Amino acid sequence: MPLPLPLPLLLLLLLLLLLLKANKFDLTMPTTPTLVAWNALTPEAAAAAILPCNGSHAWATQLAALRPFATSFDLTCTADIVWRSLDQAAQQQAFDSHPRIGEQHAKAATEASLALSAAEQSAAQLTAETEAALAAANRAYESKFGRIFIVCATGKSADEMLLILQHRLSNDPATELREAAEQQRQITQLRLRKWLAS
């Protein structure tokens, strides 16, 4: 089931992109060598190159089909729009590309995606006690919601992530799906910015 933006916000974002493409005003992040090179790839190669930033093949394929992007800003804004337009199955594929918090393996992920996840969780500083609590909370979450717990882990300690996970266990399924999708959006934006700067 799609999680679309409210129509007025979607129209505003599309208008902003059109104005930027027409160079009516400059609210842009400059282009980067990575973006220039990515714009020149075949659609298949472009989708494969950007896939680790999100994990959803539908997201990567749609974004690659919308090239070329003049600026990094165009790309990151469009990435959000494409993400929010995806159905639940396509979003689930992105969720499945992450390892559980405190673990290193994912249901379906590229090596590049796993390396990004490891870097994002590097501040976690797991103790044996927190690791056991996270494992139990992860099991409870998966039992309730049918997917792994997603959180933008960058800069968060293991204890912080555990508190977030325990709090989100009280969400109803619809609320939690929206929260998981928002966390995935934040992860994607951070990964895109790192990739664009590489």
Side-chain angles (χ1 to χ4, degrees), residues 22-57:
N23 292 319
K24 294 297 183 193
F25 59 92
D26 188 13
L27 228 186
T28 62
M29 295 183 287
T31 191
T32 68
T34 298
L35 181 59
V36 171
W38 184 70
N39 278 332
L41 295 175
T42 65
E44 296 78 16
I50 207 164
L51 179 64
C53 293
N54 179 275
S56 166
H57 289 277

PDB file of all heavy atoms in Angstrom, residues 22-57:
ATOM      1  N   ALA A  22      14.360  24.869 -14.692  1.00  0.00           N
ATOM      2  CA  ALA A  22      14.276  26.046 -15.567  1.00  0.00           C
ATOM      3  C   ALA A  22      15.235  27.154 -15.127  1.00  0.00           C
ATOM      4  O   ALA A  22      15.253  28.223 -15.701  1.00  0.00           O
ATOM      5  CB  ALA A  22      12.845  26.578 -15.572  1.00  0.00           C
ATOM      6  N   ASN A  23      16.029  26.884 -14.065  1.00  0.00           N
ATOM      7  CA  ASN A  23      16.985  27.852 -13.530  1.00  0.00           C
ATOM      8  C   ASN A  23      16.339  29.167 -13.122  1.00  0.00           C
ATOM      9  O   ASN A  23      16.907  30.235 -13.292  1.00  0.00           O
ATOM     10  CB  ASN A  23      18.114  28.117 -14.536  1.00  0.00           C
ATOM     11  CG  ASN A  23      18.986  26.896 -14.714  1.00  0.00           C
ATOM     12  OD1 ASN A  23      19.305  26.227 -13.747  1.00  0.00           O
ATOM     13  ND2 ASN A  23      19.342  26.607 -15.946  1.00  0.00           N
ATOM     14  N   LYS A  24      15.136  29.100 -12.561  1.00  0.00           N
ATOM     15  CA  LYS A  24      14.453  30.311 -12.110  1.00  0.00           C
ATOM     16  C   LYS A  24      15.028  30.830 -10.800  1.00  0.00           C
ATOM     17  O   LYS A  24      14.959  32.001 -10.509  1.00  0.00           O
ATOM     18  CB  LYS A  24      12.946  30.049 -11.943  1.00  0.00           C
ATOM     19  CG  LYS A  24      12.244  29.748 -13.249  1.00  0.00           C
ATOM     20  CD  LYS A  24      12.305  30.915 -14.183  1.00  0.00           C
ATOM     21  CE  LYS A  24      11.547  30.625 -15.455  1.00  0.00           C
ATOM     22  NZ  LYS A  24      11.814  31.583 -16.500  1.00  0.00           N
ATOM     23  N   PHE A  25      15.544  29.943  -9.973  1.00  0.00           N
ATOM     24  CA  PHE A  25      16.255  30.369  -8.778  1.00  0.00           C
ATOM     25  C   PHE A  25      17.213  29.268  -8.372  1.00  0.00           C
ATOM     26  O   PHE A  25      17.115  28.147  -8.839  1.00  0.00           O
ATOM     27  CB  PHE A  25      15.304  30.745  -7.630  1.00  0.00           C
ATOM     28  CG  PHE A  25      14.377  29.656  -7.182  1.00  0.00           C
ATOM     29  CD1 PHE A  25      14.736  28.811  -6.151  1.00  0.00           C
ATOM     30  CD2 PHE A  25      13.137  29.480  -7.790  1.00  0.00           C
ATOM     31  CE1 PHE A  25      13.887  27.808  -5.724  1.00  0.00           C
ATOM     32  CE2 PHE A  25      12.289  28.479  -7.360  1.00  0.00           C
ATOM     33  CZ  PHE A  25      12.660  27.647  -6.335  1.00  0.00           C
ATOM     34  N   ASP A  26      18.154  29.607  -7.545  1.00  0.00           N
ATOM     35  CA  ASP A  26      19.204  28.657  -7.201  1.00  0.00           C
ATOM     36  C   ASP A  26      19.140  28.301  -5.732  1.00  0.00           C
ATOM     37  O   ASP A  26      19.480  29.088  -4.881  1.00  0.00           O
ATOM     38  CB  ASP A  26      20.566  29.255  -7.544  1.00  0.00           C
ATOM     39  CG  ASP A  26      21.688  28.240  -7.395  1.00  0.00           C
ATOM     40  OD1 ASP A  26      21.367  27.045  -7.270  1.00  0.00           O
ATOM     41  OD2 ASP A  26      22.847  28.646  -7.399  1.00  0.00           O
ATOM     42  N   LEU A  27      18.661  27.103  -5.467  1.00  0.00           N
ATOM     43  CA  LEU A  27      18.584  26.568  -4.113  1.00  0.00           C
ATOM     44  C   LEU A  27      19.351  25.255  -4.111  1.00  0.00           C
ATOM     45  O   LEU A  27      18.915  24.307  -3.507  1.00  0.00           O
ATOM     46  CB  LEU A  27      17.111  26.283  -3.810  1.00  0.00           C
ATOM     47  CG  LEU A  27      16.468  26.746  -2.510  1.00  0.00           C
ATOM     48  CD1 LEU A  27      15.095  26.259  -2.355  1.00  0.00           C
ATOM     49  CD2 LEU A  27      17.298  26.758  -1.328  1.00  0.00           C
ATOM     50  N   THR A  28      20.429  25.212  -4.873  1.00  0.00           N
ATOM     51  CA  THR A  28      21.011  23.931  -5.230  1.00  0.00           C
ATOM     52  C   THR A  28      22.278  23.603  -4.482  1.00  0.00           C
ATOM     53  O   THR A  28      23.013  24.477  -4.037  1.00  0.00           O
ATOM     54  CB  THR A  28      21.335  23.896  -6.734  1.00  0.00           C
ATOM     55  OG1 THR A  28      22.310  24.911  -6.996  1.00  0.00           O
ATOM     56  CG2 THR A  28      20.108  24.154  -7.561  1.00  0.00           C
ATOM     57  N   MET A  29      22.510  22.319  -4.375  1.00  0.00           N
ATOM     58  CA  MET A  29      23.829  21.824  -4.029  1.00  0.00           C
ATOM     59  C   MET A  29      24.505  21.643  -5.380  1.00  0.00           C
ATOM     60  O   MET A  29      23.878  21.187  -6.338  1.00  0.00           O
ATOM     61  CB  MET A  29      23.719  20.479  -3.306  1.00  0.00           C
ATOM     62  CG  MET A  29      23.022  20.547  -1.974  1.00  0.00           C
ATOM     63  SD  MET A  29      23.004  18.950  -1.124  1.00  0.00           S
ATOM     64  CE  MET A  29      21.799  18.036  -2.082  1.00  0.00           C
ATOM     65  N   PRO A  30      25.758  22.003  -5.512  1.00  0.00           N
ATOM     66  CA  PRO A  30      26.411  21.892  -6.818  1.00  0.00           C
ATOM     67  C   PRO A  30      26.461  20.446  -7.296  1.00  0.00           C
ATOM     68  O   PRO A  30      26.338  19.516  -6.509  1.00  0.00           O
ATOM     69  CB  PRO A  30      27.812  22.441  -6.568  1.00  0.00           C
ATOM     70  CG  PRO A  30      28.026  22.295  -5.105  1.00  0.00           C
ATOM     71  CD  PRO A  30      26.668  22.441  -4.473  1.00  0.00           C
ATOM     72  N   THR A  31      26.667  20.304  -8.581  1.00  0.00           N
ATOM     73  CA  THR A  31      26.839  18.966  -9.116  1.00  0.00           C
ATOM     74  C   THR A  31      28.180  18.418  -8.647  1.00  0.00           C
ATOM     75  O   THR A  31      29.028  19.162  -8.169  1.00  0.00           O
ATOM     76  CB  THR A  31      26.742  18.985 -10.655  1.00  0.00           C
ATOM     77  OG1 THR A  31      26.648  17.639 -11.119  1.00  0.00           O
ATOM     78  CG2 THR A  31      27.925  19.663 -11.298  1.00  0.00           C
ATOM     79  N   THR A  32      28.347  17.113  -8.720  1.00  0.00           N
ATOM     80  CA  THR A  32      29.602  16.485  -8.303  1.00  0.00           C
ATOM     81  C   THR A  32      30.085  15.567  -9.421  1.00  0.00           C
ATOM     82  O   THR A  32      29.289  15.164 -10.285  1.00  0.00           O
ATOM     83  CB  THR A  32      29.396  15.630  -7.032  1.00  0.00           C
ATOM     84  OG1 THR A  32      28.582  14.500  -7.362  1.00  0.00           O
ATOM     85  CG2 THR A  32      28.757  16.448  -5.918  1.00  0.00           C
ATOM     86  N   PRO A  33      31.370  15.221  -9.422  1.00  0.00           N
ATOM     87  CA  PRO A  33      31.857  14.265 -10.430  1.00  0.00           C
ATOM     88  C   PRO A  33      31.090  12.943 -10.396  1.00  0.00           C
ATOM     89  O   PRO A  33      30.839  12.342 -11.442  1.00  0.00           O
ATOM     90  CB  PRO A  33      33.337  14.077 -10.058  1.00  0.00           C
ATOM     91  CG  PRO A  33      33.714  15.335  -9.356  1.00  0.00           C
ATOM     92  CD  PRO A  33      32.470  15.763  -8.604  1.00  0.00           C
ATOM     93  N   THR A  34      30.698  12.512  -9.202  1.00  0.00           N
ATOM     94  CA  THR A  34      29.927  11.269  -9.095  1.00  0.00           C
ATOM     95  C   THR A  34      28.600  11.390  -9.825  1.00  0.00           C
ATOM     96  O   THR A  34      28.190  10.478 -10.552  1.00  0.00           O
ATOM     97  CB  THR A  34      29.689  10.913  -7.613  1.00  0.00           C
ATOM     98  OG1 THR A  34      30.949  10.703  -6.980  1.00  0.00           O
ATOM     99  CG2 THR A  34      28.827   9.667  -7.467  1.00  0.00           C
ATOM    100  N   LEU A  35      27.901  12.529  -9.648  1.00  0.00           N
ATOM    101  CA  LEU A  35      26.620  12.727 -10.319  1.00  0.00           C
ATOM    102  C   LEU A  35      26.797  12.804 -11.835  1.00  0.00           C
ATOM    103  O   LEU A  35      26.026  12.198 -12.587  1.00  0.00           O
ATOM    104  CB  LEU A  35      25.933  13.998  -9.798  1.00  0.00           C
ATOM    105  CG  LEU A  35      24.567  14.321 -10.402  1.00  0.00           C
ATOM    106  CD1 LEU A  35      23.570  13.177 -10.169  1.00  0.00           C
ATOM    107  CD2 LEU A  35      24.022  15.620  -9.820  1.00  0.00           C
ATOM    108  N   VAL A  36      27.811  13.503 -12.286  1.00  0.00           N
ATOM    109  CA  VAL A  36      28.073  13.613 -13.734  1.00  0.00           C
ATOM    110  C   VAL A  36      28.319  12.231 -14.324  1.00  0.00           C
ATOM    111  O   VAL A  36      27.751  11.867 -15.368  1.00  0.00           O
ATOM    112  CB  VAL A  36      29.269  14.555 -14.002  1.00  0.00           C
ATOM    113  CG1 VAL A  36      29.683  14.502 -15.465  1.00  0.00           C
ATOM    114  CG2 VAL A  36      28.923  15.986 -13.594  1.00  0.00           C
ATOM    115  N   ALA A  37      29.155  11.443 -13.658  1.00  0.00           N
ATOM    116  CA  ALA A  37      29.455  10.092 -14.151  1.00  0.00           C
ATOM    117  C   ALA A  37      28.214   9.207 -14.111  1.00  0.00           C
ATOM    118  O   ALA A  37      27.958   8.430 -15.048  1.00  0.00           O
ATOM    119  CB  ALA A  37      30.580   9.465 -13.319  1.00  0.00           C
ATOM    120  N   TRP A  38      27.416   9.321 -13.031  1.00  0.00           N
ATOM    121  CA  TRP A  38      26.206   8.510 -12.895  1.00  0.00           C
ATOM    122  C   TRP A  38      25.188   8.853 -13.974  1.00  0.00           C
ATOM    123  O   TRP A  38      24.545   7.968 -14.530  1.00  0.00           O
ATOM    124  CB  TRP A  38      25.613   8.708 -11.506  1.00  0.00           C
ATOM    125  CG  TRP A  38      24.428   7.852 -11.211  1.00  0.00           C
ATOM    126  CD1 TRP A  38      24.411   6.506 -11.016  1.00  0.00           C
ATOM    127  CD2 TRP A  38      23.076   8.282 -11.058  1.00  0.00           C
ATOM    128  NE1 TRP A  38      23.128   6.060 -10.752  1.00  0.00           N
ATOM    129  CE2 TRP A  38      22.294   7.146 -10.768  1.00  0.00           C
ATOM    130  CE3 TRP A  38      22.454   9.529 -11.131  1.00  0.00           C
ATOM    131  CZ2 TRP A  38      20.922   7.204 -10.568  1.00  0.00           C
ATOM    132  CZ3 TRP A  38      21.086   9.600 -10.919  1.00  0.00           C
ATOM    133  CH2 TRP A  38      20.323   8.449 -10.645  1.00  0.00           C
ATOM    134  N   ASN A  39      25.053  10.133 -14.306  1.00  0.00           N
ATOM    135  CA  ASN A  39      24.133  10.547 -15.370  1.00  0.00           C
ATOM    136  C   ASN A  39      24.481   9.899 -16.709  1.00  0.00           C
ATOM    137  O   ASN A  39      23.602   9.702 -17.549  1.00  0.00           O
ATOM    138  CB  ASN A  39      24.148  12.071 -15.534  1.00  0.00           C
ATOM    139  CG  ASN A  39      23.273  12.790 -14.536  1.00  0.00           C
ATOM    140  OD1 ASN A  39      22.279  12.260 -14.054  1.00  0.00           O
ATOM    141  ND2 ASN A  39      23.633  14.024 -14.223  1.00  0.00           N
ATOM    142  N   ALA A  40      25.758   9.570 -16.916  1.00  0.00           N
ATOM    143  CA  ALA A  40      26.213   9.030 -18.203  1.00  0.00           C
ATOM    144  C   ALA A  40      26.101   7.507 -18.304  1.00  0.00           C
ATOM    145  O   ALA A  40      26.286   6.946 -19.382  1.00  0.00           O
ATOM    146  CB  ALA A  40      27.666   9.450 -18.443  1.00  0.00           C
ATOM    147  N   LEU A  41      25.775   6.836 -17.207  1.00  0.00           N
ATOM    148  CA  LEU A  41      25.689   5.373 -17.221  1.00  0.00           C
ATOM    149  C   LEU A  41      24.449   4.881 -17.961  1.00  0.00           C
ATOM    150  O   LEU A  41      23.477   5.620 -18.133  1.00  0.00           O
ATOM    151  CB  LEU A  41      25.650   4.841 -15.784  1.00  0.00           C
ATOM    152  CG  LEU A  41      26.883   5.056 -14.916  1.00  0.00           C
ATOM    153  CD1 LEU A  41      26.610   4.582 -13.487  1.00  0.00           C
ATOM    154  CD2 LEU A  41      28.099   4.350 -15.492  1.00  0.00           C
ATOM    155  N   THR A  42      24.454   3.619 -18.333  1.00  0.00           N
ATOM    156  CA  THR A  42      23.247   2.998 -18.868  1.00  0.00           C
ATOM    157  C   THR A  42      22.213   2.944 -17.735  1.00  0.00           C
ATOM    158  O   THR A  42      22.584   2.984 -16.552  1.00  0.00           O
ATOM    159  CB  THR A  42      23.511   1.564 -19.351  1.00  0.00           C
ATOM    160  OG1 THR A  42      23.871   0.758 -18.228  1.00  0.00           O
ATOM    161  CG2 THR A  42      24.592   1.532 -20.435  1.00  0.00           C
ATOM    162  N   PRO A  43      20.925   2.823 -18.059  1.00  0.00           N
ATOM    163  CA  PRO A  43      19.921   2.741 -16.984  1.00  0.00           C
ATOM    164  C   PRO A  43      20.187   1.607 -15.994  1.00  0.00           C
ATOM    165  O   PRO A  43      20.040   1.786 -14.784  1.00  0.00           O
ATOM    166  CB  PRO A  43      18.609   2.530 -17.745  1.00  0.00           C
ATOM    167  CG  PRO A  43      18.847   3.158 -19.080  1.00  0.00           C
ATOM    168  CD  PRO A  43      20.301   2.892 -19.388  1.00  0.00           C
ATOM    169  N   GLU A  44      20.592   0.450 -16.504  1.00  0.00           N
ATOM    170  CA  GLU A  44      20.843  -0.697 -15.628  1.00  0.00           C
ATOM    171  C   GLU A  44      22.027  -0.437 -14.706  1.00  0.00           C
ATOM    172  O   GLU A  44      21.977  -0.725 -13.501  1.00  0.00           O
ATOM    173  CB  GLU A  44      21.093  -1.963 -16.459  1.00  0.00           C
ATOM    174  CG  GLU A  44      19.911  -2.414 -17.291  1.00  0.00           C
ATOM    175  CD  GLU A  44      19.721  -1.597 -18.591  1.00  0.00           C
ATOM    176  OE1 GLU A  44      20.666  -0.876 -19.014  1.00  0.00           O
ATOM    177  OE2 GLU A  44      18.618  -1.676 -19.154  1.00  0.00           O
ATOM    178  N   ALA A  45      23.105   0.107 -15.267  1.00  0.00           N
ATOM    179  CA  ALA A  45      24.295   0.392 -14.460  1.00  0.00           C
ATOM    180  C   ALA A  45      24.010   1.506 -13.451  1.00  0.00           C
ATOM    181  O   ALA A  45      24.493   1.462 -12.319  1.00  0.00           O
ATOM    182  CB  ALA A  45      25.469   0.779 -15.361  1.00  0.00           C
ATOM    183  N   ALA A  46      23.226   2.490 -13.854  1.00  0.00           N
ATOM    184  CA  ALA A  46      22.881   3.592 -12.943  1.00  0.00           C
ATOM    185  C   ALA A  46      22.047   3.087 -11.772  1.00  0.00           C
ATOM    186  O   ALA A  46      22.278   3.473 -10.619  1.00  0.00           O
ATOM    187  CB  ALA A  46      22.137   4.690 -13.697  1.00  0.00           C
ATOM    188  N   ALA A  47      21.087   2.209 -12.055  1.00  0.00           N
ATOM    189  CA  ALA A  47      20.260   1.643 -10.979  1.00  0.00           C
ATOM    190  C   ALA A  47      21.121   0.818 -10.028  1.00  0.00           C
ATOM    191  O   ALA A  47      20.984   0.916  -8.804  1.00  0.00           O
ATOM    192  CB  ALA A  47      19.136   0.797 -11.566  1.00  0.00           C
ATOM    193  N   ALA A  48      22.038   0.019 -10.573  1.00  0.00           N
ATOM    194  CA  ALA A  48      22.911  -0.799  -9.732  1.00  0.00           C
ATOM    195  C   ALA A  48      23.837   0.069  -8.877  1.00  0.00           C
ATOM    196  O   ALA A  48      24.096  -0.249  -7.712  1.00  0.00           O
ATOM    197  CB  ALA A  48      23.734  -1.759 -10.595  1.00  0.00           C
ATOM    198  N   ALA A  49      24.308   1.170  -9.440  1.00  0.00           N
ATOM    199  CA  ALA A  49      25.235   2.049  -8.713  1.00  0.00           C
ATOM    200  C   ALA A  49      24.576   2.737  -7.527  1.00  0.00           C
ATOM    201  O   ALA A  49      25.196   2.942  -6.487  1.00  0.00           O
ATOM    202  CB  ALA A  49      25.824   3.086  -9.667  1.00  0.00           C
ATOM    203  N   ILE A  50      23.308   3.097  -7.679  1.00  0.00           N
ATOM    204  CA  ILE A  50      22.634   3.853  -6.615  1.00  0.00           C
ATOM    205  C   ILE A  50      21.859   2.956  -5.648  1.00  0.00           C
ATOM    206  O   ILE A  50      21.464   3.394  -4.566  1.00  0.00           O
ATOM    207  CB  ILE A  50      21.726   4.942  -7.235  1.00  0.00           C
ATOM    208  CG1 ILE A  50      21.559   6.103  -6.245  1.00  0.00           C
ATOM    209  CG2 ILE A  50      20.393   4.377  -7.714  1.00  0.00           C
ATOM    210  CD1 ILE A  50      21.017   7.372  -6.869  1.00  0.00           C
ATOM    211  N   LEU A  51      21.669   1.701  -6.014  1.00  0.00           N
ATOM    212  CA  LEU A  51      20.889   0.765  -5.188  1.00  0.00           C
ATOM    213  C   LEU A  51      21.340   0.698  -3.726  1.00  0.00           C
ATOM    214  O   LEU A  51      20.496   0.704  -2.831  1.00  0.00           O
ATOM    215  CB  LEU A  51      20.906  -0.628  -5.824  1.00  0.00           C
ATOM    216  CG  LEU A  51      20.149  -1.721  -5.058  1.00  0.00           C
ATOM    217  CD1 LEU A  51      18.650  -1.416  -4.995  1.00  0.00           C
ATOM    218  CD2 LEU A  51      20.399  -3.084  -5.712  1.00  0.00           C
ATOM    219  N   PRO A  52      22.655   0.665  -3.415  1.00  0.00           N
ATOM    220  CA  PRO A  52      23.052   0.576  -1.998  1.00  0.00           C
ATOM    221  C   PRO A  52      22.599   1.765  -1.144  1.00  0.00           C
ATOM    222  O   PRO A  52      22.560   1.655   0.077  1.00  0.00           O
ATOM    223  CB  PRO A  52      24.586   0.515  -2.065  1.00  0.00           C
ATOM    224  CG  PRO A  52      24.888  -0.034  -3.417  1.00  0.00           C
ATOM    225  CD  PRO A  52      23.817   0.533  -4.307  1.00  0.00           C
ATOM    226  N   CYS A  53      22.244   2.863  -1.760  1.00  0.00           N
ATOM    227  CA  CYS A  53      21.770   4.016  -0.992  1.00  0.00           C
ATOM    228  C   CYS A  53      20.382   3.787  -0.404  1.00  0.00           C
ATOM    229  O   CYS A  53      19.988   4.482   0.532  1.00  0.00           O
ATOM    230  CB  CYS A  53      21.753   5.273  -1.870  1.00  0.00           C
ATOM    231  SG  CYS A  53      23.389   5.826  -2.360  1.00  0.00           S
ATOM    232  N   ASN A  54      19.637   2.818  -0.952  1.00  0.00           N
ATOM    233  CA  ASN A  54      18.267   2.591  -0.488  1.00  0.00           C
ATOM    234  C   ASN A  54      17.923   1.118  -0.318  1.00  0.00           C
ATOM    235  O   ASN A  54      17.348   0.736   0.691  1.00  0.00           O
ATOM    236  CB  ASN A  54      17.275   3.267  -1.451  1.00  0.00           C
ATOM    237  CG  ASN A  54      15.833   3.075  -1.080  1.00  0.00           C
ATOM    238  OD1 ASN A  54      15.223   2.071  -1.433  1.00  0.00           O
ATOM    239  ND2 ASN A  54      15.279   4.035  -0.341  1.00  0.00           N
ATOM    240  N   GLY A  55      18.233   0.293  -1.304  1.00  0.00           N
ATOM    241  CA  GLY A  55      17.948  -1.133  -1.204  1.00  0.00           C
ATOM    242  C   GLY A  55      16.737  -1.604  -1.987  1.00  0.00           C
ATOM    243  O   GLY A  55      16.579  -2.795  -2.220  1.00  0.00           O
ATOM    244  N   SER A  56      15.881  -0.681  -2.411  1.00  0.00           N
ATOM    245  CA  SER A  56      14.701  -1.043  -3.198  1.00  0.00           C
ATOM    246  C   SER A  56      15.043  -0.962  -4.684  1.00  0.00           C
ATOM    247  O   SER A  56      15.437   0.095  -5.178  1.00  0.00           O
ATOM    248  CB  SER A  56      13.538  -0.096  -2.892  1.00  0.00           C
ATOM    249  OG  SER A  56      12.523  -0.238  -3.867  1.00  0.00           O
ATOM    250  N   HIS A  57      14.875  -2.083  -5.390  1.00  0.00           N
ATOM    251  CA  HIS A  57      15.149  -2.086  -6.830  1.00  0.00           C
ATOM    252  C   HIS A  57      14.206  -1.144  -7.568  1.00  0.00           C
ATOM    253  O   HIS A  57      14.616  -0.479  -8.525  1.00  0.00           O
ATOM    254  CB  HIS A  57      15.058  -3.512  -7.384  1.00  0.00           C
ATOM    255  CG  HIS A  57      16.187  -4.385  -6.951  1.00  0.00           C
ATOM    256  ND1 HIS A  57      17.407  -4.402  -7.575  1.00  0.00           N
ATOM    257  CD2 HIS A  57      16.289  -5.258  -5.912  1.00  0.00           C
ATOM    258  CE1 HIS A  57      18.215  -5.251  -6.967  1.00  0.00           C
ATOM    259  NE2 HIS A  57      17.559  -5.781  -5.949  1.00  0.00           N
TER     260      HIS A  57
END
